[in-house]
Amino acid sequence: MNSSFFSPLLWSPGLTWAAENSDGATAAEPTSSLIAQSAVKLAEASQNLAQNPVGHAWWFWVILLFISTFLIGIFGVMAGIGGGVLFVPLVGSFFPFHIDFVRGAGLFLAMGSSLSAAPNLLKSNLASVKLAMPTVLTASGFSIIGAFLGLWLSSLNPAYIQGSLGVLILMISAFLFFNKSAVNPKVNPGDPLTLALGLGGNYYEPNKDIDICWQVHHSKKGVFIFMFVGLLAGMFGLGAGWAYVAVLNLVMGTPLKVAVATAGFALSVDTNAAWIYFNKGAVLPLIVVPSLVGIILGSKIGSRLLPKVKPELIRKLVILVLVIAGLRSISKAFGV
Amino acid sequence: MEQKKFTNLHEQMAYGALLEKLVNVSMIVLFISFVLYVGGFLAPLIPIEQLSTVWNLPLEEFLAQTDAPTGWQWVNHIHTGDYLSFAGIAFLVAITGICYLVLLIGFAKDGHKIYLFITSAEIGLIILAAANVMGGSGH
């Protein structure tokens, strides 16, 4: 067995360090540096796997899945994009599983990573059930259509899905790279849908020791965009994490902290596409369970590390990994 | 126009507390069922060695070769290692539906008509997706 395939295991000292220090007050630099190294290792390991992705015992892939999803969990939470968007292109491109099973697992991961973080986000009042509910209803409704569309396209030719997934991932990478979030966007109160749904709330800001009241605007536009997001999320098994924060923050004017937290909660609610894949038989426990456990443990550590790292650095590293995975997905579609 | 002050729904605290408990239970169920499966304590319907030779096949081909159950047929095979793990996965996906029922009761008590409607609609979608009424068997 190629020893370089075990390179992901070398990440463990950094992760142990991060876990041991997750409750303590630590400086941002060492944590960011360790995470940066881990992200580079993830990309390197992915490239190694691309060169020889088959010929290993089943347990090798299960262990590697667990380690990979553990790291995806950490990065997904810290970058505020959810695990699904990283999992599907990476595992779909570098693991031997068919893209149908990877997309099925991706939806469970998108849900699982946020399920573990959601209780704390709700209790801290950072996540807003009020804000999540109408957006989730729209996204989850359209994700059902997306799930059927994705499975149908894949039955015609899996390369259609693999190729368009690669293009979508590259577009998401570009979107994440150029997207400039606003910490506290200025809103124009009085939007009828916002008032009808009471889309606002309050949260405690420890840095300023004050309660901050907020509300959103352009709710109709936001809900409309979530239809499209839901469709893509169900079609490619990505979950909607990659778009939630941006739409809530940039379109609807939600404060960044609330947008990130609400996205984390909302993804745990959006389970409809997962049910479709489950019922169609596109769910293999051997892929889903280690991935879920890995991402949930990773997300727990990621949410604790969140206040101690530089989100911009994490974001850039995640974008780099996405670009690699997107290009690999496209090349796989062409049989390369 | 002056910004209207909104507050968070008090139901979200109950939701968070219930969610935490259910996630913990589902993790335990998932872990135990998976150990029984991969540890060979419960014989799987599809042997793992065979699975690793067909997991690279498209879904339809995979189903044809393994005769794996679709829809809710897995319940008939819950005594096997792989489909006991399915039960853990199904419970995890069902958590949202359970928590939404708590919201539904809360909104009904508080008279939040709009949110009562949104919650009911989402529960309807969940039931539609989970009941496999739209998809057929997949075979």
Side-chain angles (χ1 to χ4, degrees), chain A residues 3-68:
Chain A
S3 61
S4 66
F5 280 11
F6 284 108
S7 58
L9 293 171
L10 300 175
W11 305 334
S12 55
L15 294 169
T16 309
W17 182 93
E20 283 170 355
N21 290 279
S22 59
D23 284 321
T26 43
E29 290 299 335
T31 314
S32 299
S33 165
L34 277 170
I35 289 161
Q37 288 169 22
S38 301
V40 173
K41 289 276 183 194
L42 179 64
E44 284 174 1
S46 301
Q47 280 174 327
N48 286 342
L49 283 170
Q51 289 158 13
N52 183 15
V54 291
H56 294 283
W58 64 268
W59 50 264
F60 168 82
W61 296 111
V62 171
I63 293 170
L64 196 61
L65 253 187
F66 173 77
I67 296 167
S68 305

Side-chain angles (χ1 to χ4, degrees), chain A residues 58 96 98 100 108 122-123 125 127 129-130 133 137 140 196-198 202 215 265 268 278-280 283 296, chain B residues 3-4 6-9 12 15 20 27 49 55-57 59 71 86 89 93 96 114-115 119 122 129-130 135:
Chain A
W58 64 268
H98 192 270
D100 286 345
F108 284 89
L122 287 170
K123 286 181 198 168
N125 257 337
V129 167
K130 263 201 290 194
M133 288 187 72
L137 180 64
S140 67
L197 294 171
N202 60 296
Q215 70 165 281
F265 163 67
S268 74
F278 185 87
N279 282 324
K280 285 279 187 184
V283 173
I296 286 174
Chain B
Q3 186 158 324
K4 188 178 175 184
F6 295 107
T7 54
N8 294 334
L9 295 165
Q12 82 173 46
Y15 190 113
E20 190 166 29
M27 284 298 107
E49 294 299 340
W55 62 23
N56 58 338
L57 298 176
L59 179 60
F86 249 64
I89 296 171
V93 199
T96 293
I114 293 179
Y115 282 96
T119 314
E122 185 64 43

Side-chain angles (χ1 to χ4, degrees), chain A residues 239-264:
Chain A
W242 52 278
Y244 246 102
V245 176
V247 179
L248 290 180
N249 180 246
L250 297 176
V251 178
M252 298 175 73
T254 314
L256 189 57
K257 274 191 175 183
V258 178
V260 171
T262 302

Side-chain angles (χ1 to χ4, degrees), chain B residues 101-118:
Chain B
L101 286 175
V102 173
L103 281 184
L104 190 77
I105 295 165
F107 291 145
K109 276 184 186 167
D110 293 350
H112 277 298
K113 284 183 187 165
I114 293 179
Y115 282 96
L116 190 63
F117 169 75
I118 292 174

